[in-house]
Amino acid sequence: MEQLLILMSIIQKNVLNIPFFSQTAFLGILIIIYRRVVDHVSLEPLDNLKIRHYAFIGLVMISQFLAFIGLTNEGYGLGSILKKFVIAMITVANFIIIYFVMNMLMRHDYQVKKIVTGNFWAFVLLIGICLIQIIYVFLGGRLESIVELIGRHLEFHNVLNPGSFEKVSYAQSTQRVNGLYAESGFLAGVLAIGFAPFILSAMKNKVNLFFPNKQYHSWFYYSLFAVLVGVLVLAKTSTGILAVGVIALLLLWAVKGRERLNLIILYLIAGALLAVIVMRVPALKNMLLSFTVGKTDSDSTTMRLLATQAVFITLFKNPLVGVGFGQTSHFNFINAPSAVKKLAEYQLFLKNKDFPDQSAWGSVLAQFGLVIGIIIIIYVIHLLLDLRKSTNWLQSKKIIDYQYDRAIYDSAVYFIIIYLILGMLSIQWSFDLFILMFFFFVNFRHYLNRKITKHLKEGEVYLHD
């Protein structure tokens, strides 16, 4: 069940066709019912919720209601506003369900380990799909039938960019790698945020996170890291190039001593080889330049910068409660700088009557407001401090699996860092995999607290004996 949930989360296309309801949350409901009825597991998550948690949920509902009521000034009718509010609350319900199911699946250490192992198999599945697309794109159309099959049944299509789907799949239409997502940039975000944290942490702590019952082998994780970097580069996206830079620096920060020196040498050798290859292969040179240096002169970059400016203007004009979940498009049109209206991409947005946000965190703040945003920031900081405190205590007492627990804490740190940096771009912040991983770390804190409490109680029994 744990691994199935992670595998399902990488498929962003709603294959169940349930409007506005996450298929991962739907699977979560089935798991909760099964565990309650068949395995007789109590709904313990309710025990972990305190008054402040209920207050936060209530605050989200009230602030979103106020945000949507504000749409009356934009000419929206009450019926339309009510529908938008219900959709927003369904989204919040999706997140709450995912929190509950992750809590229910993290009662014991073997369950925690299964979830992390499930992350590995999800990585293998997604990389496998990417490799098929890479072969198709770079080796003259081989495996086209498989690429088309994936595009037809599993790939999420971006209705705002119909030109990217002249054929069945994104890879066929654009000759770029996108995995299962609407754009290559979204794939880069998923690979870096969803999978790199565990790989980096395993390499730092020399702990086999994916297969904890087996010995750690550095070659295995360095191979995973190399494959990850390779796919990010070949995805032909500036988000992927940024992601490579971030995770490469994080790895350099993570390792120490001789290994750090070796890594620096390896980076220099890899950079030199890449430079030689680029000079000798014009196609590769054009690809890298077009999505790095060359992109700074393109209309696409200008569009992203001006669109990002628009969403932050929307935030500054509606700072406290925002404009409501999913409602920034209307305000982006209003707040977009005049220069953006000259660009072809803007005309496409205008034709489709939708102006997507070009910054994930700008989007979140503009939709939910600074009140909710600041509370979440404080919560995340508190979460990391609690995880560090708990793992330090377990390490000082040499409690069983303390190395593994410490590695999970480091994964949480890497997850937040990568998420924060890439979130400045137009990644999809609400992907199921991101929400699952966030609540994995949230519930890992509960798991550690139970572990510490159990150890203290056993110590009291020992003293009384």
Side-chain angles (χ1 to χ4, degrees), residues 12-13 133 136 147-187 348 352:
Q12 199 58 33
K13 180 177 180 178
Q133 294 175 341
Y136 169 79
V147 170
E148 182 173 324
L149 184 67
I150 293 170
R152 188 183 303 278
H153 297 289
L154 296 177
E155 187 175 321
F156 181 79
H157 287 191
N158 187 356
V159 295
L160 297 178
N161 194 6
S164 294
F165 292 94
E166 296 170 358
K167 297 184 178 180
V168 173
S169 75
Y170 179 94
Q172 287 177 296
S173 301
T174 66
Q175 296 299 299
R176 296 171 66 189
V177 178
N178 68 312
L180 298 173
Y181 307 98
E183 298 178 9
S184 297
F186 292 170
L187 168 67
L348 180 62
N352 289 283

Side-chain angles (χ1 to χ4, degrees), residues 240-252:
I241 301 300
L242 175 61
V244 169
V246 172
I247 65 176
L249 289 175
L250 285 176
L251 179 58
L252 195 61

Side-chain angles (χ1 to χ4, degrees), residues 219-431:
W219 64 264
F220 175 71
Y221 284 94
Y222 270 101
S223 298
L224 294 179
F225 182 81
V227 170
L228 175 62
V229 169
V231 173
L232 286 172
V233 171
L234 294 177
K236 300 183 185 178
T237 169
S238 53
T239 304
I241 301 300
L242 175 61
V244 169
V246 172
I247 65 176
L249 289 175
L250 285 176
L251 179 58
L252 195 61
W253 172 44
V255 299
K256 293 178 173 61
R258 179 82 178 181
E259 189 173 3
R260 178 176 291 178
L261 178 60
N262 291 339
L263 191 62
I264 293 174
I265 295 172
L266 182 62
Y267 283 172
L268 293 174
I269 294 173
L273 286 175
L274 180 62
V276 171
I277 294 172
V278 165
M279 294 302 175
R280 293 183 176 274
V281 183
L284 183 58
K285 178 181 179 179
N286 293 335
M287 183 196 83
L288 290 176
L289 290 179
S290 63
F291 292 98
T292 53
V293 179
K295 197 166 184 178
T296 59
D297 298 324
S298 69
D299 284 349
S300 177
T301 298
T302 304
M303 181 69 205
R304 288 173 183 264
L305 291 174
L306 294 176
T308 299
Q309 185 178 339
V311 76
F312 276 102
I313 292 174
T314 298
L315 167 63
F316 293 144
K317 290 184 176 180
N318 305 271
L320 295 181
V321 297
V323 297
F325 176 74
Q327 302 309 306
T328 51
S329 174
H330 170 80
F331 294 91
N332 287 344
F333 278 119
I334 295 174
N335 297 320
S338 58
V340 79
K341 299 176 183 179
K342 303 174 184 177
L343 303 177
E345 193 170 353
Y346 174 84
Q347 298 303 320
L348 180 62
F349 293 161
L350 192 62
K351 178 182 178 181
N352 289 283
K353 299 180 180 180
D354 200 314
F355 196 137
D357 303 314
Q358 297 299 310
S359 169
W361 299 134
S363 176
V364 171
L365 293 174
Q367 292 177 76
F368 291 94
L370 290 177
V371 173
I372 298 300
I374 291 172
I375 291 174
I376 292 175
I377 291 170
I378 294 172
Y379 177 84
V380 170
I381 294 172
H382 191 259
L383 171 66
L384 293 179
L385 290 175
D386 271 2
L387 288 176
R388 184 176 68 176
K389 180 180 178 181
S390 297
T391 51
N392 284 345
W393 189 90
L394 292 168
Q395 185 174 357
S396 68
K397 302 296 181 181
K398 297 295 189 291
I399 307 301
I400 186 171
D401 280 340
Y402 72 86
Q403 300 101 326
Y404 188 90
D405 295 334
R406 179 72 189 191
I408 296 296
Y409 159 69
D410 286 330
S411 300
V413 174
Y414 296 141
F415 171 78
I416 296 299
I417 291 174
I418 301 172
Y419 205 2
L420 283 176
I421 295 175
L422 295 190
M424 293 186 294
L425 306 179
S426 58
I427 64 169
Q428 187 68 36
W429 67 270
S430 58
F431 275 161

